[in-house]
Amino acid sequence: MGSSSSNLNTIPNSQELMQETGFSAAHLLRLYERFEFLDKDNKGHLRPEDFEAVQELSTNPIGDIIIGSFFSPGQETVDFPSFVRILAHFRPAEKNRTRDGAQPEPANSSTGKLKFAFQLYDRDRDGKISREELLQVLRAMLEMQVTEEQLESMAERAIQEADLDEDDAISFDEFKKSLEKVNIDHKMSIHFMK
Amino acid sequence: MEPFVFLGNKSGASWMTFALILCCAVGTCELQEPKPTVPNDFQTVSPTQDDINKPQVFPEKEKTNLPMFTLHYSRIQVPFEFTMWVLLASFAKIGFNIYQKVTIWIPESCLLIGIGLIVGAIMHSVKEEPPAVLSSNVFFLYMLPPIVLDSGYFMPTRPFFENVGTVLWYAVVGTLWNSIGIGLSLFAICQFEVFGVQDINLQENLLFASIISAVDPVAALNVFDDVGVNEQMYIVIFGEGLFNDAVTVVLYSMFAFMTDMPVVESIDVFLGVARFFVVGIGGTLFGFLFGFVAAFTSRFTNKVREIEPLFIFMFSYLSYLVAELFAISSVMAIIVCAITMKYYVEENVSQRSCTTIRHVVKMLATISETLIFFFLGVVTITTEHEWNWAYILFTLLFAFMWRGLGILVLTQIVNPFRTIQLSLRDQFGLAYGGLRGAICFALVFTLPESTNRRNLFVTASIAIIIFTVAVQGISIRPIVECIKIRRTNKDLNTINVEIHTRTMEHVICGIEDLCGQWGHYYWKDKYSRFNQFHPPHKERKVQNKLKRLPVFIFSLRFKKFNDRVLRRILLRDNRAESSIVSLYKRLELQNAIELLDTPMGDISAAPSLVSLQDEKKEASRPKKKFLAADIKKMHNILSKNMYKIRHRTMVSKYNLPEDSRTREILIRRHASIRRSLRAGSFREQPAQSIAKSQKYYSLQPGGNLDSAFALRRQSHAVSELEHLQSSGASPRSSSRSLVPLKRLNTIEEPTAASEHPGGRAGSGSRGRKPPVPAPRRRSSRRAEEEEENNVVSEHPAGGEEQDPPPPQGWVPENRDPRENEAEDPLLRPSSRRPQRSQTP
């Protein structure tokens, strides 16, 4: 793993990253170790295969989508800063502390989290979840015994529920509205990143 | 009459089977009835001398001619009756598992007790004696070990060690708290003359309290499993139930010893405490010893696969017996033995043996537990009771009160030391889930006959078991669900909410896996916090963390020790990757392939076809109106069929760890690779492997084709490999060894090297886990062979896919605007290079 000797100095731009993502030094260090661990050949970046090597991810029904979310369009690799920036979405939001105001919208705000969730569906990044996009995710998440017809009617229904402007797709605002009852910060946070 | 109330609820089927078995059992009994020599006690385990010498002859004759027909019932009596009991209990289990609704609302143990009550009533009415199974020896030597072995073997190791402090805290201190609390309070009650129990002294009260302080969380676990509590809480309950068995047995033997003493001196108390530790730690040591011996033995069993599983059982049982021999905690010994050996054994033994071990462990445990609850019902009716309202009601009250108080107080103490605190809801679950069960029942029956007021203790124990199992067991689900609903406020969720929240759960789960939060990373995190500067207000937190330092160092040391020494000694071949994992993966893949190779198995292809057609008619789709019933149905489907996140389905006491869903996910994910390969390959352009793999998700909007999908790319790599291989001179037909793959990788290197100076990304992991890609390769090659035959038939579909893209921004699968340019595998990377150069 080669991580035992690493400290904060080995991470490039660590201060900026900490500023930007709000991770503590310890977290950053640990994420860096994990990053190095996943990066088997010390390339300095991760490829989808490296993610696939994580055993549990391959049994996650939407594992592909999760992995995919780390790679911005057109890129086949993700470097450490981007890796951390993605993970910053899952940091629990601070309750009482106000941020310095430099960043208007930190990744771990509930809007940031929602945006991340939205992008999981919105594969083509056109700002809308189409019926097909929804269906893709549904198909992956439901057991095989559910018929395609049932899936479709569920997707149909979901769109009808959320679709306010009747364009047969869910925009981000509609998405946000449909989830307004859900405690996003609770749902989309990972406790150990506190 | 109580039994017949149960009868009313019982499903028809279980009643029938039960009646059938009963007929058999009673029938056999009645055959004996006319026999004059054995009046009523033919159930006795050791038949009298008379019986053996005199075969029972039908019909009775004066002269001893050669008998036409004889019965040797006394000869087979013990095993026969045992078999009948097991069968009866098993049939009962089948019976109420046919109607799943019953077991959802009423815990299985409760139903078993109910059936036991019925059987007991019938036996009582025909003046039958209960079976002799409930002696101290039978229980402790034969019925308890499987149950404990099961819990130890299926203990989820990592979460357990994460919470080991809390678990032991609750198990040891909590049990002590309960025993002493209940004991003292009952002793106080005994001082009142009104209740008529003044003759029970302090030691006896303590003994009784230690008996009823063992909680058995099966029912609670099942409920929490369904409701979906967090893993922390689950493991705390699981571990507590497991270890407080051990503690209770120790306490029991201690108090039992003390009751025999005429006068208890303070030195005895001190010795008792010392003994408590000796017994516990001694048991642990024996467990380690036998665990390692078992693991070491399993290293050499690869030539005798047939008896491989046997070693596991024999060694764990041996650890139990030896611990029993030295009068130390045998429960601890077998638990520790199981935990120790599991990790090594499962890597050493074959996949089949591993399955066998798991199944047999589970089976034995289930049947033991079933029998115990069943007998509990029977014995409730057939034993003599001494009913003392005051004593029994106060027992119930104190048991409930001390449990609740204990959890409340102990949690307050332990919470500051936990990273994840136990919430009030968790505490309530812990307290209310404290049902009394098998251990309690068995212990009270092992009380010596001479004990003062034994019958009262028996009655009180049975009362508390039945009360907790029936009342708390049945009500815990509604209560927990009610609390949960109030907390998350999901009175009527929309379909959207349900889908999206589950997606988010999966995402969180996936990210957690990705970050590897368990294992030594967790401790590393804790540790690395010491190295950082600490703001002053964090000082207290740091101190808390400091308390964990020894644990952390231990875990690190152990990991090192494990890697360097233990694994070398105990494992057959010391591979970096756990062999069971890769083997499992490989098997899963093979399964997937086989499933797909069968003509009707190719279900996974269906959705894409359907969606293709669906796409066509989408334009003219009328707005569907959904009725309330439809929506309800959807909610149903969603709640039943969405894949649960991994942690929750991890452990379940009654069921084997369920892998069917994992299996299905794996199959589907690999099915989609295959589908993509198949659909692409009829184009017979090897260069289009990337286009082929694009099929995985049919959603391919024009601009962002390269975006995002890992699998696509991975399958790209695979099919590239494959292409190279099939174009190569020697198509290795069925060799799935590591060697050809490695060579392929190196062949491939030149192509890949141009784009990645660092070498192929996947090669590292692929080399490490050879079995994974191998079957895939086979499958896809086969797919290609098939494709050659099917080119004609598949062409129409292909033609359809060649159509211009539909307007909705959704492109039929496999549509890649660049796919036609890319003719040559060596050209393609270069055509993609500009894009990659944008990568920072």
Side-chain angles (χ1 to χ4, degrees), chain B residues 448-463:
Chain B
E449 290 290 341
S450 57
T451 316
N452 177 30
R453 296 271 194 152
R454 179 176 187 267
N455 285 346
L456 177 60
F457 291 150
V458 171
T459 309
S461 302
I462 289 179

Side-chain angles (χ1 to χ4, degrees), chain B residues 530 540-551:
Chain B
F530 297 119
R540 203 175 59 88
K541 261 192 171 175
V542 172
Q543 274 178 357
N544 284 338
K545 300 286 188 276
L546 260 170
K547 286 173 192 151
R548 286 164 172 241
L549 190 62
V551 186

Side-chain angles (χ1 to χ4, degrees), chain A residues 34 41 47-48 52 64 68 76 121 123-124 131 136 139 141-144 158 160-161 187 192, chain B residues 496 500 503 505 514 517 624 641 643 661 664 668-669 696 698 701 708 711 713-714 756 761 832:
Chain A
R34 184 64 178 172
D41 320 335
R47 292 168 55 82
E52 282 280 325
D64 309 307
E76 293 217 338
Y121 291 93
R123 299 308 307 167
D124 58 359
R131 186 195 311 279
Q136 291 293 333
R139 206 175 277 146
M141 281 211 309
L142 286 157
E143 284 168 6
M144 265 154 112
Q160 276 184 25
E161 275 175 2
K187 279 273 175 198
F192 60 79
Chain B
N496 269 300
H500 301 325
T503 315
E505 280 166 19
L514 188 66
Q517 86 278 31
K624 251 198 233 169
N641 292 312
Y643 290 115
R661 285 183 174 207
E664 198 177 295
R668 289 181 69 176
R669 291 190 46 178
Y696 177 48
S698 42
L711 230 130
R713 250 171 255 111
Q714 193 174 353
H756 296 293
R832 291 158 60 88

Side-chain angles (χ1 to χ4, degrees), chain B residues 70-308:
Chain B
T70 57
L71 276 181
H72 284 282
Y73 184 66
S74 57
R75 199 173 150 226
I76 59 157
Q77 186 186 18
V78 173
F80 178 79
E81 281 175 3
F82 173 72
T83 314
M84 284 325 254
W85 280 113
V86 171
L87 265 182
L88 178 49
S90 312
F91 271 117
K93 229 174 132 76
I94 296 178
F96 43 69
N97 270 315
I98 291 175
Y99 294 94
Q100 291 229 317
K101 271 185 202 147
V102 182
T103 43
I104 284 179
W105 292 106
I106 305 171
E108 225 173 67
S109 45
C110 189
L111 289 172
L112 278 168
I113 294 177
I115 292 192
L117 286 173
I118 300 168
V119 176
I122 293 166
M123 285 177 71
H124 191 65
S125 62
V126 295
K127 301 278 187 290
E128 197 58 59
E129 289 288 313
V133 219
L134 290 166
S135 72
S136 162
N137 273 349
V138 173
F139 179 77
F140 279 104
L141 295 187
Y142 305 112
M143 301 188 72
L144 186 59
I147 299 177
V148 186
L149 175 66
D150 167 71
S151 315
Y153 196 81
F154 287 99
M155 163 92 70
T157 321
R158 271 188 304 190
F160 169 69
F161 283 110
E162 288 271 329
N163 293 289
V164 69
T166 316
V167 166
L168 288 180
W169 175 254
Y170 281 129
V172 178
V173 184
T175 310
L176 280 173
W177 168 287
N178 276 342
S179 306
I180 294 169
I182 298 174
L184 291 179
S185 332
L186 280 177
F187 183 61
I189 292 302
C190 289
Q191 302 315 306
F192 292 96
E193 251 175 67
V194 232
F195 303 127
V197 280
Q198 295 106 302
D199 54 328
I200 307 175
N201 62 22
L202 180 62
Q203 289 103 304
E204 282 158 351
N205 269 319
L206 283 174
L207 177 66
F208 174 65
S210 78
I211 290 173
I212 59 166
S213 60
V215 295
D216 175 23
V218 177
L221 279 183
N222 282 344
V223 171
F224 291 139
D225 201 28
D226 292 347
V227 177
V229 294
N230 54 50
E231 194 180 33
Q232 311 290 321
M233 161 116 176
Y234 194 92
I235 196 68
V236 168
I237 296 175
F238 187 91
E240 191 206 351
L242 184 51
F243 283 98
N244 78 19
D245 287 359
V247 177
T248 311
V249 173
V250 175
L251 270 183
Y252 169 79
S253 63
M254 231 166 69
F255 286 134
F257 196 73
M258 281 187 185
T259 36
D260 290 343
M261 285 194 268
V263 66
V264 182
E265 293 166 24
S266 57
I267 182 78
D268 291 327
V269 176
F270 179 74
L271 283 178
V273 174
R275 181 177 162 73
F276 186 82
F277 285 101
V278 169
V279 164
I281 294 168
T284 314
L285 288 180
F286 269 106
F288 272 125
L289 179 71
F290 281 97
F292 283 126
V293 173
F296 190 64
T297 314
S298 71
R299 214 185 131 160
F300 304 103
T301 52
N302 56 333
K303 291 287 187 292
V304 280
R305 292 278 190 219
E306 305 81 25
I307 55 166
E308 215 168 39

